[in-house]
Amino acid sequence: MNRYSALGLVRGALGGHKHWQPAWRDAEPKPSYDIIIIGGGGHGLATAYYLAKVHGIRNIAVLEKGWIGGGNTGRNTTIVRSNYRLAPLHDLFEFGLKMWEHLSDELNYNVMFSPRGAMFLGHSDADMTRLAERGDAMRCSGIDAELMTRDKLAKFEPLLDLSRSARFPIEGALIQRRGGTARHDAVAWGYARAADGLGVDIIQKCEVTGFVRDGDAVVGVETTRGRIGAGRVGICVAGNSGHVAGLAGLRLPIESQTLQAMVTEGVKPMVNSVIMSQSMHCYISQSDKGGIVFGGDPDNWPSYAQRGIPMVMDGAIAQGIALMPALSRLRMVRTWSGVTDMSFDGAPIIGETPVKNLFLNGGWCYGGFKATPASGWTYAHTLATGKPHALNAPFALDRFRRGDTIDETGTGPMPNSR
Ligand code: FAD
């Protein structure tokens, strides 16, 4: 019988799948590793993969308290872009964007990267001036950016409300055509499988509860599955950065806040690109399944709750509908939240900490998914060599002490960069 026949499918569904190999091993913790990564999100898994692949370090464990990709990696709205004005930011994100273009080949796993264009709308002369400046800064670094007039926009996104009577009239947009979206789960699974193939131990349901110290150095971690020794430890826990760093006695310039997103029922293609409006505090895109994905502001107070409040959700939906009135006819089917690690200048923190052998990758706010490959690549360099990579050097933790912050107001869809 043809194993792809309808009968075959029913049999498979009722009888369970046979001969399917797990995509990665369910590893038991060893007594010690050269490098331990705390956090099995995209950043932690990518770091482990590049440590093994590029630096040849194979004795590595990724410790995840839940399941891999169950944090912000599996909860984000998957926007990938490098349209930042400040050079340290657009250099890092552009390095990542170039990696996205080949990531499916690199991992032999379809991460469904879809460069459909990512745009910021301008709603006033001041907005358009800011967008033009941002585009100029990007082009000076060789990154594509294109200002769109209202006429061009009307052809590109015909369902936008471009009438003069719109609540926030649209004057134009800055589009990065190489930006777009990717499939979040696939990124975690692809990196996990590839890292496992290089000998990395991925250990789920293993929460780090403390650090083992020898004088001023970290030499291991305490976990819910026992003590594990480590040469170096890399924190990669997104919204839990403050808590985990606190276990080593560090206080970070990071606040954990809830960020929500929502998706409608699936419909035929109606939104061509990723549309973000900083003035309206919202963004929309269409998933590959057809649902319209909405996002907006974080809840704006510290919380570790992975659920947000209806008021903020309401605001994002109302603004999305004001941008594209046809969306009002759709039914919302799902909302969810993640805990984001909001740094005080809106930029990530990557590098060494004051504790010997302990490194930090966090503070990605609501924009770290797009950085996954670049973050993994540069953090792997730092963990392998103990030194900054040229692209993550500006993001050192001690920049807050030195007053050398990277504060690009409006780096995300929201006008306040945090
Ligand atoms: P995570 O995927 O959160 O992984 C960290 C892991 O650490 C988690 O799995 C957690 O369980 C684990 N962990 C925590 N504490 C411990 C411990 N003590 N021991 C062991 N494991 C631990 N970014 C974009 O670029 N584009 C977007 O469109 C976008 N949209 C977003 C929308 C929402 C609703 C949210 C919440 C975020 C969004 N982001 C977006 C941000 C992005 O999701 C994150 O910056 C990025 O996914 C962080 O990846 P990570 O691997 O560092 O974290």
Side-chain angles (χ1 to χ4, degrees), residues 299-374:
D299 282 8
N300 265 324
W301 54 82
S303 169
Y304 283 106
Q306 277 193 149
R307 61 174 187 275
I309 58 163
M311 187 182 81
V312 175
M313 197 194 310
D314 249 26
I317 294 169
Q319 301 293 37
I321 290 173
L323 280 180
M324 201 172 265
L327 298 180
S328 67
R329 300 177 59 189
L330 302 182
R331 277 171 295 199
M332 196 60 75
V333 293
R334 204 157 56 85
T335 74
W336 66 92
S337 311
V339 183
T340 52
D341 43 347
M342 310 302 267
S343 68
F344 275 51
D345 60 358
I349 302 169
I350 318 170
E352 59 178 6
T353 71
V355 179
K356 205 169 156 202
N357 300 339
L358 184 63
F359 295 78
L360 172 69
N361 178 327
W364 290 95
C365 303
Y366 39 64
F369 176 69
K370 66 177 90 65
T372 306

Side-chain angles (χ1 to χ4, degrees), residues 38-43 63-65 71-73 75-79 206-208 236-238 240 244 259-261 283 338 340 364-370:
I38 311 174
H43 288 218
L63 308 183
E64 165 55 50
K65 73 173 175 180
N72 289 347
T73 298
R75 296 167 187 273
N76 79 90
T77 46
T78 78
I79 304 171
C206 181
E207 178 172 355
V208 170
C236 229
V237 295
N240 289 278
V244 172
L259 181 66
Q260 310 188 55
Y283 59 96
T340 52
W364 290 95
C365 303
Y366 39 64
F369 176 69
K370 66 177 90 65

Side-chain angles (χ1 to χ4, degrees), residues 2 45 59 123 187 219 380 389:
N2 178 354
L45 293 163
N59 189 25
H123 299 274
V187 174
V219 292
H389 184 282

Side-chain angles (χ1 to χ4, degrees), residues 15 80 92 108 118 148 183 223 229-230 243 262 280 300 355 365 376 406:
V80 172
L92 180 70
N108 188 24
M148 265 194 175
R183 173 69 203 259
T223 80
H243 171 68
M262 313 109 224
M280 296 180 70
N300 265 324
V355 179
C365 303
I406 306 169

Side-chain angles (χ1 to χ4, degrees), residues 22-27 195-197 199-202 204:
W24 54 86
R25 291 165 298 127
D26 185 15
D196 175 81
V200 171
D201 281 357
I202 295 168
Q204 302 181 82

